[in-house]
Amino acid sequence: MDARRGLEAAIGGVWHGVSFFQDMPERPQGVYRAQGIRFCEAFVVARVHKVLIDPSAITCPGARFAFGCSGDFGEEMIQKLTEKGYSRDYIEEMMEEIPRLGEPPAAIGLNIKNPPDILLAALQPDQAMRLAQLYE
């Protein structure tokens, strides 16, 4: 049993394997090539299809910032958060602490590679508690 299926069996929820590729892999049959999509929307597609994403095609400023994509998306996020009432100093300090990739990968795969680089899930409170109990 792979780690993703093991976590689903032990904790519940739907887990997705995230893989980072240094070169754009050939797209195997049945893999959805995501273009112009938010990263969270790609997870919805990944419930049905394996997904291959070109990071430069991600439309979400937060995901582009986290994946090290070029462009001044940090400034766009600062502007949006200052409009919500946060101070610029606080936002800049918070953004410095966000883990992010220094260079963007050539591709990001969802449920393509086993084992994946990262496993992610949106968990319900009881599932998050089971995860914390297993970790403990």
Side-chain angles (χ1 to χ4, degrees):
M1 180 183 303
D2 64 37
R4 186 170 68 103
R5 296 291 178 213
L7 286 169
E8 287 176 351
I11 296 165
V14 177
W15 290 77
H16 296 286
V18 181
S19 304
F20 301 103
F21 297 94
Q22 296 306 315
D23 298 308
M24 180 63 79
E26 288 191 32
R27 184 175 55 135
Q29 186 172 359
V31 173
Y32 178 78
R33 182 87 179 245
Q35 295 289 326
I37 193 168
R38 297 176 65 82
F39 192 65
C40 60
E41 292 170 342
F43 277 92
V44 174
V45 176
R47 294 185 108 185
V48 179
H49 303 283
K50 294 178 179 185
V51 178
L52 186 62
I53 307 166
D54 177 347
S56 65
I58 295 174
T59 60
C60 173
R64 289 180 59 82
F65 180 79
F67 292 132
C69 296
S70 61
D72 197 12
F73 294 97
E75 189 59 40
E76 181 181 343
M77 291 188 325
I78 290 171
Q79 180 182 350
K80 288 182 179 187
L81 290 169
T82 54
E83 289 171 3
K84 292 184 180 237
Y86 294 97
S87 75
R88 184 175 183 90
D89 291 338
Y90 174 74
I91 296 166
E92 288 175 351
E93 182 181 318
M94 182 176 58
M95 288 177 65
E96 285 179 21
E97 295 179 18
I98 294 173
R100 61 183 172 179
L101 300 177
E103 292 289 323
I108 301 169
L110 301 180
N111 302 330
I112 291 181
K113 194 168 86 174
N114 192 18
D117 297 316
I118 299 171
L119 287 166
L120 290 178
L123 300 176
Q124 296 297 316
D126 63 319
Q127 296 164 341
M129 181 57 71
R130 277 196 292 278
L131 176 62
Q133 288 169 340
L134 281 174
Y135 179 76
E136 186 179 68

